[in-house]
Amino acid sequence: MSNILDCAIVGGGPAGLTAGLYTTRGGLENVTMFEKGMPGGQITQSSEIENYPGVTGEITGMDLMMPWPEQCQKFGLKHDMSEVKQIRKDGDIFTVIKSDDSLIHAHSVIVCTGSSPRRAGFAGEDEFFGKGVSTCATCDGFFYKGKEVAVIGGGDTALEEALYLAKICTKVYLVHRRDTFRAAPNTVKRVEENDKIELVLNSVPDEVYGDAMGVNGVKVKDKEGNIRDIEVPGVFVFVGNDVNNQTLIQEDGSFLCDVNDQGQVIVDLSMKTSVPGLFAAGDMRIEAPKQVVSAAGDGAVAGIAAISYVDELLN
Ligand code: FAD
Ligand code: NAP
């Protein structure tokens, strides 16, 4: 088989781009990154990032990611602006199937397709996403220091993030659609005992409203249809998360490599999956901190591991 890539990188967010930098700069000569949209990943949706080490001052996610592709291309990374439909392995060779059904073959694959926070589906949620509606308290909580915020959801993430936000904000309205929580009992107890958290139960967001400056509040509706207007500049939505693992699903519905019950890819400390030559990095892996810096770190680790794998395979 001719023209086999040394490494195919699927996804061009912080993990994929860093994997591209490390594989090419580390000596792999034939590496292509497949990205269905603009490179940069989900952080490009963020109006401000202030926790990427060494980057001070006001910077948008787009600004942060802008130079990354150019840096990779300097070392030889090729960029294919395509969606990948499926990754397969036959013998030692991987096949990457693009959405136009064309096939690419590779000795190794680093999959970095990230994850997508679920949207709750209320009016204004999409319009104000990144402008007051957020799905990341670690990222955006600090913008509401000394202010009030609302949190939507009743699982572990919502309650843990509500506790985190209560340390920064003056008050957290925890809006949940039932009167019992899915979260661990101890977390529920800590939330119930926290004076800064007000529980708004049996209620769902009806509408987030605001203006050109961002969110001004969220209207929530209870089971009787009563509307309550909660005036807050920040609304955090934690209604679950979907791992973008579709490319790993095989014809028979099984996954190419081991995943846990939430669909997150199981990796070791070298980002190796259960399939030799297949690596996973960033938000899609187990126990991902879901941060740009850790996704980039994963990409570097996976890139280094892929170089060793290809060297051993071919020499
Ligand atoms: P992603 O960034 O999700 O990148 C995955 C890439 O894969 C995407 O570009 C996608 O288009 C591509 N892709 C997916 N499927 C396919 C396919 N089938 N074929 C081809 N390409 C595909 N983190 C911080 O550290 N600090 C912050 O302040 C911060 N703020 C955030 C604010 C917002 C609004 C959001 C949404 C996230 C924020 N995060 C922040 C989290 C951070 O963006 C993620 O942790 C990080 O981007 C994960 O990187 P990744 O490379 O694993 O995945
Ligand atoms: P989750 O457990 O699926 O909880 C999602 C929450 O959002 C539920 O309370 C759900 O309500 C609510 N919800 C869903 N769709 C909604 C909508 N459209 N509008 C309003 N509310 C909606 O998600 P998660 O909290 O992200 O947790 C995911 C998994 O990770 C879980 O297994 C969790 O245990 C685990 N996790 C564990 C830890 C930990 O162990 N420390 C921390 C975080 C996450 P209902 O309850 O009514 O369905």
Side-chain angles (χ1 to χ4, degrees):
M1 215 179 283
S2 62
N3 203 17
I4 302 173
L5 296 178
D6 283 338
C7 186
I9 296 168
V10 183
L17 285 161
T18 310
L21 176 65
Y22 273 72
T23 45
T24 51
R25 192 169 178 274
L28 292 188
E29 289 193 345
N30 199 3
V31 183
T32 298
M33 181 185 80
F34 299 86
E35 165 57 55
K36 64 179 177 179
M38 290 298 289
Q42 37 174 313
I43 191 61
T44 56
Q45 299 165 28
S46 174
S47 55
E48 198 170 349
I49 173 161
E50 57 183 11
N51 60 0
Y52 195 80
V55 178
T56 54
E58 280 182 25
I59 181 165
T60 66
M62 189 70 90
D63 290 340
L64 178 76
M65 297 312 297
M66 196 73 85
W68 293 37
E70 191 188 331
Q71 185 186 17
C72 300
Q73 281 153 18
K74 201 172 90 182
F75 295 104
L77 179 70
K78 291 180 204 77
H79 173 201
D80 184 332
M81 199 186 270
S82 303
E83 182 170 18
V84 170
K85 205 159 75 173
Q86 193 183 50
I87 303 163
R88 284 196 219 143
K89 191 178 186 195
D90 301 294
D92 281 341
I93 301 293
F94 289 93
T95 303
V96 172
I97 306 169
K98 300 203 289 184
S99 51
D100 63 3
D101 287 327
S102 57
L103 308 182
I104 308 290
H105 299 291
H107 294 298
S108 65
V109 173
I110 304 175
V111 58
C112 314
T113 43
S115 71
S116 309
R118 276 184 215 136
R119 302 277 167 105
F122 51 82
E125 187 180 24
D126 292 341
E127 186 191 339
F128 288 102
F129 193 78
K131 298 173 213 144
V133 174
S134 171
T135 50
C136 182
T138 323
C139 317
D140 297 331
F142 191 74
F143 302 131
Y144 306 99
K145 188 174 163 65
K147 298 177 183 165
E148 297 189 350
V149 293
V151 165
I152 316 298
D156 281 304
T157 306
L159 270 67
E160 287 182 6
E161 299 306 299
L163 287 163
Y164 172 84
L165 287 164
K167 291 185 200 143
I168 304 168
C169 305
T170 48
K171 181 162 183 171
V172 178
Y173 297 90
L174 179 61
V175 180
H176 178 39
R177 64 185 178 185
R178 295 185 293 125
D179 61 358
T180 55
F181 292 104
R182 211 172 263 279
N186 188 47
T187 309
V188 176
K189 187 165 174 277
R190 284 170 55 218
V191 163
E192 286 171 344
E193 288 172 358
N194 192 310
D195 291 341
K196 286 166 99 181
I197 301 178
E198 179 181 331
L199 302 182
V200 183
L201 301 177
N202 295 316
S203 300
V204 288
D206 194 47
E207 179 194 4
V208 162
Y209 62 91
D211 53 31
M213 300 299 290
V215 165
N216 293 328
V218 54
K219 290 182 182 167
V220 302
K221 194 193 268 183
D222 69 15
K223 281 192 167 156
E224 285 74 45
N226 302 310
I227 299 279
R228 175 174 172 190
D229 188 356
I230 302 174
E231 290 182 23
V232 285
V235 177
F236 289 84
V237 181
F238 302 113
V239 296
N241 217 285
D242 294 318
V243 180
N244 298 331
N245 57 20
Q246 298 83 348
T247 62
L248 297 169
I249 299 172
Q250 307 297 286
E251 243 80 272
D252 63 1
S254 66
F255 284 93
L256 175 60
C257 60
D258 291 346
V259 299
N260 68 10
D261 57 7
Q262 293 165 49
Q264 298 158 340
V265 180
I266 298 172
V267 292
D268 67 9
L269 289 175
S270 301
M271 304 301 140
K272 289 179 186 159
T273 70
S274 58
V275 171
L278 178 68
F279 305 85
D283 273 17
M284 71 174 323
R285 70 156 168 97
I286 47 163
E287 292 175 39
K290 298 201 171 73
Q291 295 290 291
V292 175
V293 67
S294 52
D298 282 5
V301 171
I304 292 166
I307 294 170
S308 300
Y309 174 83
V310 174
D311 276 353
E312 271 179 42
L313 187 76
L314 301 183
N315 298 310

